[in-house]
């Protein structure tokens, strides 16, 4: 029994890691309806920036997270400026929603992600970076029969804060209002005086800042910071987003947890090499049988 | 509609063809090709090889031999496509008489097909795939395969009193041999393998596997991983308060393992062919040169492997001199006997496999030390 | 469809292409005396076929495909397994590998066909990854990470096709034939039907186009040709492992199609030449460490400044005017124009 | 004689909303029928029900006596219903000619086998039909331009040409005059009349009352998803129910 409980807890913490990445990813998709392939690299950049700060100044974790958030937000704005904005040449509805733009930005963000990953690799090498071990978030905490680490609590807390903060920003600030407006109807928002370009930049700032924070947190959690670190969480976040109905952030978070738990639980029955199959199977099943996401509520975006 | 394609193909072919071909001086300079990953996911290994090779070449140049040797490094990115292109390139260059590399077995084997066809001796420092040396008589390797290491470890674990063992290894060609060779011998000795599983390389989270292993409560865990996965595994074992003794192979021998895992690496046992604190002069010379060149800590198993591979090649060249051809170099390589390398004495057997002496080591106080036998 | 596709130009161009492919390029390569160029040429041709097969499904039919490498891999594995287990000659394994890949593509396509745009892309990504995980871990059949080594060589009628020059001709003949078929498909009214899918599949449906069937067909055909490419790779390289068919390869092929211009077959082929050739050229210039970044930058630049790729979808019906003088003729002689004269469509 | 196209108690609900409610209409061969109604009356939904874009929740659609509800749009199109769209839906990145061929391709039901040499007759028929359709709408000059590059008014005709290339038995035009100016509308009216005189059966959905009243023999009025009037233009103009529906008078 303890064994199953322990696997469940591991699955939960795995799911929380995916959820952390999925929040920013889903925000950007939900607003713009574009896939940001470079989100995984923003995550990696967050981890490397955090690592540099730790190595150079060794400040408290909170300070690092804030700096990483800021750097991530700037990266996001830059990313938007170079990979997304040029394709919104016209601000009519056809352009904002066109498939051509979606696919062009998918490719442009992919191209930038190659540049970013190769750049990091060139600069730092492709190996795991050595991280001062004292900064790692993996001190075990025993709760009854199961063991968790302090990082689990921090990641849970951060995810919670992000979700709550995001809800607050979206519901109670003017930036949030314009983000929601652009998400619903970019052209309409523009007609009523919302600065679409600035709002989209804000969206990228918020989403990428969150992605970067996820990067450093997960980096510290596993003690593994390396240029290709963004790929797997990126794909899992993607799957979570699709399962959750594409534009629903709480949906994506719940689905991330489901994926994490399923992966850990699957290793009870089969060899862990098949673990990745779980997420992909979920993806395909969702797409084929629940095209609106497993909660069904969200609007279908086709 | 294929017109443009051909014009471009012609254009790029011309562009490549008109590049200046090197002109060779009359003095005997032999060229060796080295294909290795200098970019991509495995670049860290390739860069280490390059450094080690340059140290070996440097020492050779200072030794005042009657001929010069040049090594041509080409980046394969651990990508088969690029590996075979490099192989063709080396084969084309008539002045290249022998080839070192590649890093992964896959790229080494795909390139080996070309070296086989062209008759070019190839010596890989790390290709451990059982089929690699079976490609042809032109393939050599300087790494002890698991056929040797596995049984040795099985005996060690059995002698330590362990009867129930869990085995995990990465899902690669190498990992497969780690498991099969160990398990066969361990069962033959009368031990029991209670758990055996593979994991995908670069897996961040080993906790589900560790929890599973802990449930089966083995006496020890035998692991086939490289240092990065190893560090993750050891850290997460400590995190879950699992204290089963861990044994590993020479592949995890790297100072970085201890840097990454810290105190969690304490106590891990492994077999190795190279220990930097071996007092032998050649080892100490290499370690000193390595530290001076790279500014890093002691070299790990793989750079030492590459250093020896280069020196074995150079020694074979020296024996073949002055009638150096690809064929004569191959024959001299095959004749390598008791070559005194930093990874121990190397002799190639009839299958062009090295026989090496493995030492038993352990992580103690943040460093690898030999275990008295 | 291009202005030059008039009937005599057609033969001229075909002649030039075939002479170039089978006489001039080998001649030049032989003069250069380096089998290296043959190797590059082979890789380029195999990837040109991959890009062309993806062109059909992504460029023409507009189905964004992120798992193409999986079909390439199925072809490679099928050929390698048939060759090692049943000692079959490549003459047999190559078409069989194509059919196998086509069959799997068909099975994959049946449930995913009604998905649209990004949903479909995500599904192909997921299925591609699943197939990769399966080849990597289904050890009893695929030998898993050990890969498959083909010891046999490629001897038919005493010609050893594992030597660079015969291998070049073998690959050139097969790739040229396959690309010709793809060309016929994409430059026919069938191709127009696929383009209609790309532009607006709902609308195409209302025009009487059987969109699910067309999607299914184009996906299957594309899978078939990817499988042929995989078999060619397996036989010419002599060794395959799952690493040859991972996600990065899918992205590489997609990049070729996008770089050359979505919807343009010559563009896709040009993309293959650049993305395989450029790293090698940069290698010559000792730009080793930077070459992957350069590729990323080139790709980005093309997407940004040449949204239609290097050779975008060419203005489609120049050829009508050239071929039939319809523009002018119609004015004077509109009612008399005989449909029989207007042979358009495909070469 | 049964009607050429008829809907029997056709209904479609979205959520609780009855977009189309118990609508029965019958169109005879060779008629030009106008379908009008205030915004949100369910005109386009009715249209989508007929052309198979939306499945009905109740009732049936019959074409030449055969049920066609529940069939896919391409099946229905191949049975002879050609349509245009309310918001122009041309294929922008291919040429005007290629746009039109798509209609003919649909009619010929082109498949993978059609690149085979002995299928050439099909291609020739497609070429001819497309050419004739382009000629009919007067767009031959623009044949090789990208569809995205021609003017708005011409795109309207392009859409009609594409539908004509389908050789439809019934042509459904969804607000063809939307966005056109006075002169263009005039021109369109005479064009539609000509199509009708050539013997085509046409349903015209339109906002522009004058256009409908001037060329249609019969007008059907929808309001709140229901058919409230069906008769000659004169009758419809005098009908109080129609007036109420348009003026928003409560019942």
């Amino acid at each position: 029994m303890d064994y199953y409980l322990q696997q469940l807890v591991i699955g939960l913490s795995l799911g929380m890691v995916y959820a952390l990445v999925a929040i920013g990813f889903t925000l950007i998709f939900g607003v713009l309806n574009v896939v940001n392939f470079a989100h995984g690299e923003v995550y990696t950049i967050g981890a490397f920036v955090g690592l540099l700060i730790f190595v150079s100044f060794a400040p408290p974790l909170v300070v690092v997270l804030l700096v990483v958030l800021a750097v991530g937000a700037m990266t996001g704005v830059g990313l938007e400026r170079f990979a997304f904005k040029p394709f919104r040449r016209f601000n009519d509805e056809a352009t904002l929603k066109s498939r051509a733009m979606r696919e062009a930005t998918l490719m442009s963000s992919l191209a930038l992600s190659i540049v970013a990953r190769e750049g990091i690799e060139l600069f730092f090498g492709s190996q795991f970076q050595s991280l001062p071990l004292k900064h790692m978030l993996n001190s075990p905490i025993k709760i009854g029969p199961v063991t968790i680490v302090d990082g689990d609590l921090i990641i849970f807390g951060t995810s919670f804060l992000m979700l709550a903060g995001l809800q607050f920003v979206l519901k109670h600030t003017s930036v949030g209002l314009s983000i929601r407006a652009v998400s619903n109807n970019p052209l309409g928002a523009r007609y009523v005086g919302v600065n679409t370009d600035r709002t989209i930049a804000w969206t990228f700032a918020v989403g990428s800042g969150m992605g970067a924070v996820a990067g450093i947190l997960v980096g510290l959690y596993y003690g593994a910071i390396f240029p290709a670190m963004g790929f797997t969480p990126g794909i899992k976040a993607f799957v979570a987003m699709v399962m959750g109905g594409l534009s629903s952030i709480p949906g994506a978070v719940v689905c991330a947890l489901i994926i994490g738990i399923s992966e850990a639980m699957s290793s009870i029955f089969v060899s862990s090499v098949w673990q990745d199959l779980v997420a992909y199977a979920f993806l395909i099943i969702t797409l084929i049988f629940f095209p609106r996401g497993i909660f069904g509520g969200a609007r279908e975006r086709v | 509609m294929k017109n443009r394609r051909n014009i471009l193909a012609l254009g790029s072919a011309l562009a490549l063809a008109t590049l200046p071909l090197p002109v060779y001086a009359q003095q005997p300079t032999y060229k060796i090709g080295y294909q290795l990953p200098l970019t991509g996911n495995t670049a860290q290994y390739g860069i280490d090889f390059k450094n080690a090779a340059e140290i070996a070449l440097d020492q050779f140049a200072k030794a005042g031999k009657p001929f010069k040797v040049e090594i041509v490094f080409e980046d394969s990115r651990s990508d088969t496509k690029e590996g075979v292109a490099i192989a063709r390139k080396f084969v084309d260059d008539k002045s290249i008489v022998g080839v070192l590399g590649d890093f992964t077995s896959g790229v080494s084997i795909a390139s080996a097909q070309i070296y086989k066809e062209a008759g070019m001796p190839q010596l890989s420092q790390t290709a451990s795939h059982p089929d690699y040396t079976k490609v042809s008589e032109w393939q050599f390797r300087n790494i002890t395969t698991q056929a040797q290491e596995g049984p040795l470890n099985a005996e060690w674990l059995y002698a330590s009193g362990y009867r129930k063992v869990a085995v995990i290894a990465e899902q690669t060609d190498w990992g497969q041999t780690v498991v099969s060779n160990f398990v066969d011998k361990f069962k033959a000795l009368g031990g029991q393998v209670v758990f055996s599983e593979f994991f995908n390389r670069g897996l961040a989270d080993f906790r589900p596997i560790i929890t599973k292993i802990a449930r089966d409560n083995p006496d020890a865990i035998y692991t086939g991983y490289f240092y990065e996965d190893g560090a993750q595994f050891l850290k997460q074992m400590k995190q879950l308060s699992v204290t089963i003794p861990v044994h590993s192979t020479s592949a995890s021998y790297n100072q970085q393992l201890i840097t990454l895992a810290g105190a969690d690496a304490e106590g891990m046992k492994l077999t190795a062919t190279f220990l930097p604190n071996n007092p032998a002069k050649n080892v100490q010379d290499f370690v000193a040169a390595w530290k001076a060149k790279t500014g890093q800590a002691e070299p790990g198993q793989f750079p030492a492997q590459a250093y020896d591979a280069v020196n074995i090649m150079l020694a074979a060249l020296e024996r073949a001199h002055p009638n150096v051809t690809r064929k004569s170099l191959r024959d001299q390589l095959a004749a390598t006997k008791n070559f005194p390398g930093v990874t121990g004495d190397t002799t190639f057997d009839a299958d062009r496999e090295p026989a090496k002496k493995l030492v038993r080591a352990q992580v103690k106080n943040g460093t690898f030390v030999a275990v008295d036998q | 469809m291009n202005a030059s596709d008039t009937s005599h130009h057609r033969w001229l161009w075909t002649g030039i292409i075939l002479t170039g492919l089978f006489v001039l390029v080998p001649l030049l390569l032989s003069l250069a005396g380096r089998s290296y160029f043959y190797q590059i040429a082979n890789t380029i041709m195999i990837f040109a076929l991959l890009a062309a097969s993806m062109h059909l499904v992504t460029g023409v039919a507009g189905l964004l495909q992120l798992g193409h490498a999986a079909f390439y891999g199925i072809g490679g594995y099928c050929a390698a397994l048939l060759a090692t287990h049943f000692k079959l000659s490549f003459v047999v394994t190559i078409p069989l590998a194509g059919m196998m890949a086509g069959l799997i593509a068909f099975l994959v396509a049946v449930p995913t066909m009604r998905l649209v745009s990004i949903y479909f892309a995500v599904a192909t990504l997921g299925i591609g990854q699943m197939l990769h995980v399966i080849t990597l871990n289904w050890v009893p059949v695929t030998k898993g990470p050990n890969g498959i080594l083909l010891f046999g060589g490629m001897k038919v009628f005493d010609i050893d096709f594992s030597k660079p020059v015969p291998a070049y001709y073998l690959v050139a003949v097969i790739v040229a034939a396959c690309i010709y078929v793809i060309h016929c498909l994409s430059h026919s009214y069938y191709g127009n039907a696929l383009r209609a899918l790309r532009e607006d599949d709902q609308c195409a449906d209302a025009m009487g186009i059987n969109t699910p069937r067309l999607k299914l067909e184009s996906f299957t055909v594309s899978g078939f040709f990817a499988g042929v490419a995989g078999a060619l790779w397996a036989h010419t390289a002599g060794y395959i492992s799952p690493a040859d068919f991972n996600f990065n390869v899918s992205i590489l092929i997609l990049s070729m199609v996008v770089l050359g211009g979505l919807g343009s077959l010559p563009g896709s082929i040009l993309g293959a030449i650049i993305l395989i050739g450029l790293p090698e050229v940069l290698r010559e210039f000792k730009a080793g460490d930077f070459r992957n970044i350069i590729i990323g930058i080139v790709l980005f630049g093309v997407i940004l400044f040449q949204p239609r790729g290097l050779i975008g979808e060419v203005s489609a019906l120049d050829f009508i005017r050239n071929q039939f003088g319809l523009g002018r003729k119609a004015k004077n002689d509109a009612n008399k124009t005989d449909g029989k004269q207007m042979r358009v469509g495909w070469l | 004689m049964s009607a050429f196209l008829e809907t029997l108690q056709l209904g479609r609900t979205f959520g609780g909303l009855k977009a189309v409610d118990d609508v029965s209409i019958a169109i005879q061969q060779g008629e030009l029928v106008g379908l009008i109604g205030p915004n949100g009356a369910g005109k386009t939904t009715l249209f989508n029900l007929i052309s198979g874009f939306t499945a009905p929740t109740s009732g049936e659609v019959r074409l030449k006596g055969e049920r066609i509800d529940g069939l896919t749009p391409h099946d229905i199109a191949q049975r002879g219903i050609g349509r245009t769209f309310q918001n122009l839906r041309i294929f922008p990145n291919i040429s005007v000619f290629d746009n039109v061929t798509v209609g003919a391709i649909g009619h010929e039901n082109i498949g993978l086998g059609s690149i085979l040499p002995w299928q050439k007759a099909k291609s020739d028929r497609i070429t001819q039909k497309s050419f004739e359709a382009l000629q009919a709408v007067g767009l031959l000059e623009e044949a090789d331009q990208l569809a995205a590059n021609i003017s708005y008014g011409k795109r309207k005709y392009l859409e009609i040409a594409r539908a004509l290339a389908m050789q439809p038995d019934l042509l459904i035009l969804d607000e063809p005059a939307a966005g056109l100016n006075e002169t263009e509308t005039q021109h369109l009216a005479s064009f539609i009349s000509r199509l009708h005189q050539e013997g085509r059966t046409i349903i015209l959905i339109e906002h522009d009352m004058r256009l409908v009243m001037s060329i249609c023999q019969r007008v059907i009025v929808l309001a709140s998803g229901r058919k409230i009037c069906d008769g000659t233009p004169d009758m419809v103009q005098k009908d109080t129910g129609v007036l109420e529906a348009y003026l928003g008078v409560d019942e």
Side-chain angles (χ1 to χ4, degrees), chain B residues 171-290:
Chain B
Q171 181 65 301
T172 60
D173 52 279
W174 174 78
Q176 296 269 334
T177 64
V178 169
V179 171
S180 58
N181 286 301
F182 174 86
V183 167
D184 290 351
K185 180 70 180 181
F186 197 71
K187 281 183 177 161
L189 288 170
Q192 193 190 354
V193 176
V194 292
F195 177 94
S196 168
E197 214 171 282
F198 295 94
F199 59 87
N200 289 323
R201 192 154 183 195
L203 179 74
D205 208 320
F206 286 91
R207 291 175 299 171
I209 303 181
I210 296 168
T211 312
K212 239 163 127 176
I213 294 174
R215 186 177 64 159
D216 291 330
N217 197 21
D219 301 331
I221 307 174
Y222 182 61
T223 56
Y225 44 50
F226 284 21
Y227 75 90
E228 289 175 340
D229 285 324
Q232 292 300 95
F233 184 80
L234 294 170
K235 277 187 291 192
Q236 290 170 8
M237 272 192 58
K238 180 55 83 47
Q239 197 179 311
L240 291 168
S241 323
V242 175
T243 51
I244 303 165
V246 175
H247 279 253
S248 194
T249 66
S250 51
S252 60
Y253 174 72
N254 191 315
Q255 196 60 35
Q256 277 291 314
L257 177 92
I258 298 172
T259 316
L260 288 170
D264 299 348
E266 271 316 282
M268 187 182 88
K269 294 193 172 88
L270 74 168
T271 44
T273 50
F274 169 75
L275 283 179
N277 44 18
N278 180 339
K281 181 173 182 304
N282 60 349
V283 175
Q284 287 315 311
D285 284 354
F286 172 55
V287 171
W290 176 266

Side-chain angles (χ1 to χ4, degrees), chain C residues 199-242:
Chain C
E199 301 286 308
D200 184 342
D201 57 343
Q202 259 190 322
C203 178
D205 212 38
M207 298 297 119
I209 306 263
N210 190 338
T211 47
R213 194 186 79 189
L214 250 61
K215 286 181 183 173
L216 206 59
E217 283 175 0
S218 59
F219 200 75
T220 307
V221 170
S222 157
F224 172 85
F225 287 118
V228 170
L232 282 176
W233 175 254
H235 280 291
T236 51
Y239 172 77
I240 53 166
S241 70

Side-chain angles (χ1 to χ4, degrees), chain A residues 121 126 128 221-222 267 272, chain B residues 40 44 197 205 207 212 228:
Chain A
E121 206 170 281
S126 57
F128 279 20
Y221 182 69
Y222 286 129
S267 67
S272 70
Chain B
Q44 67 267 39
E197 214 171 282
D205 208 320
R207 291 175 299 171
K212 239 163 127 176
E228 289 175 340

Side-chain angles (χ1 to χ4, degrees), chain D residues 33-46:
Chain D
V33 178
L35 183 66
I36 60 170
N39 275 334
K43 297 179 301 249
T44 295
T45 309
L46 179 62

Side-chain angles (χ1 to χ4, degrees), chain A residues 106-191:
Chain A
L106 189 142
M107 291 304 302
S108 63
S109 59
L110 179 68
L112 275 194
S113 80
I114 294 174
V115 175
R117 190 174 57 239
E118 296 289 341
I120 296 173
E121 206 170 281
L122 198 61
F123 210 78
F124 292 95
S126 57
Q127 71 276 26
F128 279 20
Q129 300 297 312
S130 34
L131 173 76
L133 291 167
K134 62 177 187 298
H135 296 306
M136 271 191 64
L137 305 174
N138 70 342
S139 327
I141 301 171
K142 265 196 120 38
I143 304 176
V146 297
T147 311
I148 61 165
V149 294
D150 55 353
D152 286 325
L153 298 177
I154 293 174
I155 287 181
F156 179 74
T158 315
S159 306
F160 187 78
L161 268 179
M162 277 189 186
L163 268 182
L166 199 58
Q167 288 307 316
F168 178 81
V169 169
L170 287 178
K171 295 274 159 64
H172 299 284
T173 65
S174 57
V175 169
L177 185 68
S178 32
I179 288 179
R180 279 190 297 148
V182 170
S183 161
N184 274 321
N185 185 345
L187 197 63
R190 199 176 159 74
Y191 286 157

Side-chain angles (χ1 to χ4, degrees), chain A:
Chain A
M1 192 59 225
D2 291 353
Y3 167 67
Y4 295 102
L5 211 58
Q6 180 67 52
Q7 290 286 23
L8 185 73
V9 168
I10 290 167
L12 258 179
S13 73
L14 202 57
M16 269 184 314
V17 169
Y18 300 152
L20 202 58
V21 189
I23 294 175
F25 198 71
T26 311
L27 176 71
I28 292 172
F29 187 93
V31 172
L32 280 174
N33 207 3
V34 293
V35 176
N36 175 12
F37 243 106
H39 196 70
E41 271 58 43
V42 172
Y43 170 91
T44 312
I45 288 171
F48 274 89
V49 168
L51 177 69
L52 283 182
I53 300 169
F54 264 130
V55 174
S56 343
F57 305 108
L61 181 63
V62 182
V63 179
V64 176
L65 291 187
L66 288 177
V67 176
V68 168
L69 184 72
V71 173
M74 285 189 285
T75 313
V77 173
L79 176 70
E80 197 274 332
R81 180 70 191 77
F82 287 108
F84 290 86
K85 191 149 177 262
F87 300 98
R88 288 200 313 275
R89 289 200 178 88
F90 316 101
N91 278 300
D92 58 292
E93 183 159 28
T95 315
L96 285 171
K97 287 197 165 166
S98 76
R99 211 159 106 181
M101 191 200 82
R102 260 191 253 167
E103 286 166 11
T105 52
L106 189 142
M107 291 304 302
S108 63
S109 59
L110 179 68
L112 275 194
S113 80
I114 294 174
V115 175
R117 190 174 57 239
E118 296 289 341
I120 296 173
E121 206 170 281
L122 198 61
F123 210 78
F124 292 95
S126 57
Q127 71 276 26
F128 279 20
Q129 300 297 312
S130 34
L131 173 76
L133 291 167
K134 62 177 187 298
H135 296 306
M136 271 191 64
L137 305 174
N138 70 342
S139 327
I141 301 171
K142 265 196 120 38
I143 304 176
V146 297
T147 311
I148 61 165
V149 294
D150 55 353
D152 286 325
L153 298 177
I154 293 174
I155 287 181
F156 179 74
T158 315
S159 306
F160 187 78
L161 268 179
M162 277 189 186
L163 268 182
L166 199 58
Q167 288 307 316
F168 178 81
V169 169
L170 287 178
K171 295 274 159 64
H172 299 284
T173 65
S174 57
V175 169
L177 185 68
S178 32
I179 288 179
R180 279 190 297 148
V182 170
S183 161
N184 274 321
N185 185 345
L187 197 63
R190 199 176 159 74
Y191 286 157
V192 299
V194 174
N195 184 337
T196 340
D197 286 342
R198 206 166 64 196
T199 308
I200 292 172
W202 266 108
T203 312
F204 267 88
V206 175
S208 302
M210 288 177 169
V213 169
I216 182 63
L217 275 180
V218 177
L220 295 176
Y221 182 69
Y222 286 129
I225 296 178
F226 56 104
M229 67 187 283
F231 182 74
T232 311
I235 290 221
K236 302 286 162 69
F238 201 127
V239 177
M241 178 183 83
V242 174
M243 281 174 72
L246 286 167
S247 46
S248 155
I249 293 170
V253 169
V254 172
C255 291
L257 294 179
I258 293 175
I259 295 171
I261 292 172
S262 311
E263 285 186 351
M265 297 313 255
S266 76
S267 67
I268 297 174
F269 308 107
V270 292
S271 167
S272 70
V273 287
W274 299 105
Q275 194 174 305
D276 279 342
L277 226 44
V278 174
Y280 299 125
F282 268 134
L283 177 72
I284 303 299
I285 291 169
T286 313
L287 283 171
I288 293 173
F289 298 106
F290 308 97
R292 289 154 190 254
I294 57 169
F295 302 115
R299 60 209 146 128
E300 188 170 11
R301 292 208 187 232
V302 286

